[in-house]
Amino acid sequence: MGEEEVNAPLAIVEVLDRDGQVRHAQRVPSWPLSIGRALDNELSLGDPYLAPHHCVIELDANGLGLRVLDSANGVQIAGARHLRAGEREALADGEHAVEISAGRTRLRLRRPGDALAPELPLAASATLLRRGAPVLAAGAGLALALAFETWLASDPDVFLRTLGTTALTTVMGAAVWIGLWALLSKLFTRQTHAGWHLRVFLFSSLAWMVVGALPGVIAFALSWPWVSDFGFIAGYAIGAAALYYHLLGVEPSRPRLMRGVAVTAFVLGTALTLWKQEQRNERLGAELYLSSFQPPALRLARPVPADRFAAELAALQPLLDKKAKEENATENGASDDE
């Protein structure tokens, strides 16, 4: 047995920052390894949410395990199992390092058998085309979609002027949006992640425009008005996904919490919109009819016979009469008050 093998540590316990960067690494020459605020621990930490002797990683007949000592806050392992005082969890050899949360401190236990993630390339070592191709493609797609939408909505005489205004507004809005998210990332992770936020903005904006146009086309082609009525839900889903990925650039170490925030925003936004439409229109759908007609070539549904169409219209007569009486009663009441 060589000198290197004798001096090789049994494990390394890393103290992580909130962004997952290693702040301190503690070599473990032998077991047990005690963790806490007291100075007689092998790993002494200044976290006020730790007990003087918080937990210990020990080796016994059952193998390596973590045991919680006299602690009120306990220990969380791998973001899932929460151990209370006196409980023990086996730390079986696996393919990945084990993350441990004790108090407000994040620890990572690395052992010789744990697999290492591949080396990340530096920005300079990757080709510019490979890194920038998806961003350029998304940017070009968004620009073409905005140009096409502007062309449909404007007169030919003012198309170029309207397009310039739209392009300038979009670029300025994107710069402010990405800059704010980059500032938040800088505050929390010490890195701007501007490229990440730019990609999220481009892909989510392009997806938003697609899901904004598709419901009307599908509703017209198949005579499914409900697709157009509730098409806004798909837009909210895109917005929630964009919010989740933006938040990952700000707080990458808590994906479950960020996912919960995005899902909550989606549910609340959808519920409030449905409630508002019910209060305003007495229906959950967003539109009473298609706001725009699509090219006839896209029509796939069979035409409705005239007698069937008239019969379906006749079924609306009682509802219309009821609405008319309610409006007349309201107007008469207002006149009496006057």
Side-chain angles (χ1 to χ4, degrees):
M1 182 179 294
E3 182 178 355
E4 294 182 356
E5 295 180 356
V6 173
N7 296 330
L10 298 176
I12 291 179
V13 177
E14 298 172 336
V15 182
L16 306 179
D17 283 338
R18 62 182 302 151
D19 56 349
Q21 300 298 318
V22 179
R23 186 176 65 191
H24 172 73
Q26 174 75 32
R27 293 165 64 92
V28 184
S30 61
W31 303 112
L33 175 76
S34 60
I35 302 171
R37 281 189 293 122
L39 296 181
D40 57 350
N41 291 290
E42 280 79 14
L43 180 57
S44 180
L45 302 169
D47 187 346
Y49 297 94
L50 291 177
H53 298 91
H54 197 88
C55 61
V56 61
I57 303 176
E58 57 189 5
L59 182 66
D60 57 14
N62 297 322
L64 192 65
L66 184 145
R67 180 164 54 89
V68 181
L69 303 176
D70 187 13
S71 166
N73 294 323
V75 173
Q76 193 171 24
I77 299 179
R81 176 71 190 280
H82 190 271
L83 303 180
R84 299 294 183 182
E87 294 183 336
R88 187 181 189 276
E89 177 78 6
L91 302 176
D93 292 334
E95 298 181 355
H96 303 285
V98 178
E99 288 205 8
I100 301 168
S101 296
R104 292 291 178 85
T105 304
R106 292 177 58 208
L107 305 172
R108 181 166 59 200
L109 174 65
R110 293 175 51 200
R111 292 161 290 183
D114 296 335
L116 295 176
E119 177 187 10
L120 295 176
L122 294 172
S125 63
T127 63
L128 180 62
L129 180 61
R130 182 178 179 181
R131 289 188 292 114
V135 176
L136 291 175
L142 181 60
L144 290 175
L146 285 173
F148 181 69
E149 188 178 67
T150 305
W151 176 73
L152 288 177
S154 61
D155 296 330
D157 296 338
V158 297
F159 167 66
L160 293 179
R161 184 168 67 241
T162 306
L163 180 61
T165 303
T166 301
L168 181 61
T169 302
T170 302
V171 171
M172 293 297 294
V176 173
W177 181 259
I178 295 169
L180 290 175
W181 280 109
L183 178 61
L184 286 175
S185 295
K186 183 68 174 179
L187 292 175
F188 285 91
T189 67
R190 300 191 298 275
Q191 299 182 38
T192 61
H193 300 296
W196 172 267
H197 293 301
L198 174 61
R199 288 193 293 271
V200 172
F201 172 80
L202 290 176
F203 286 109
S204 61
S205 298
L206 188 58
W208 188 299
M209 296 190 69
V210 171
V211 300
L214 276 181
V217 175
I218 296 174
F220 173 79
L222 302 176
S223 287
W224 291 349
W226 57 269
V227 177
S228 180
D229 284 348
F230 300 100
F232 68 91
I233 297 178
Y236 284 3
I238 296 297
L243 176 62
Y244 167 68
Y245 285 108
H246 275 308
L247 289 173
L248 278 185
V250 176
E251 188 62 274
S253 62
R254 297 183 178 180
R256 295 177 63 183
L257 176 60
M258 301 302 104
R259 189 160 51 245
V261 171
V263 171
T264 301
F266 168 74
V267 173
L268 288 179
T270 302
L272 288 175
T273 301
L274 292 174
W275 176 81
K276 182 179 179 180
Q277 291 171 171
E278 174 65 25
Q279 295 298 313
R280 183 177 58 186
N281 302 325
E282 297 185 0
R283 60 192 309 273
L284 296 177
E287 296 179 321
L288 292 174
Y289 53 86
L290 292 178
S291 59
S292 60
F293 289 102
Q294 306 295 330
L298 298 178
R299 183 73 174 172
L300 301 178
R302 294 181 179 180
V304 177
D307 54 348
R308 177 183 169 186
F309 180 73
E312 292 178 352
L313 287 179
L316 297 176
Q317 188 64 44
L319 179 61
L320 296 176
D321 293 339
K322 179 181 177 182
K323 294 289 292 184
K325 290 180 180 179
E326 292 176 354
E327 292 177 359
N328 291 334
T330 304
E331 293 177 357
N332 294 332
S335 300
D336 295 339
D337 293 338
E338 294 176 356

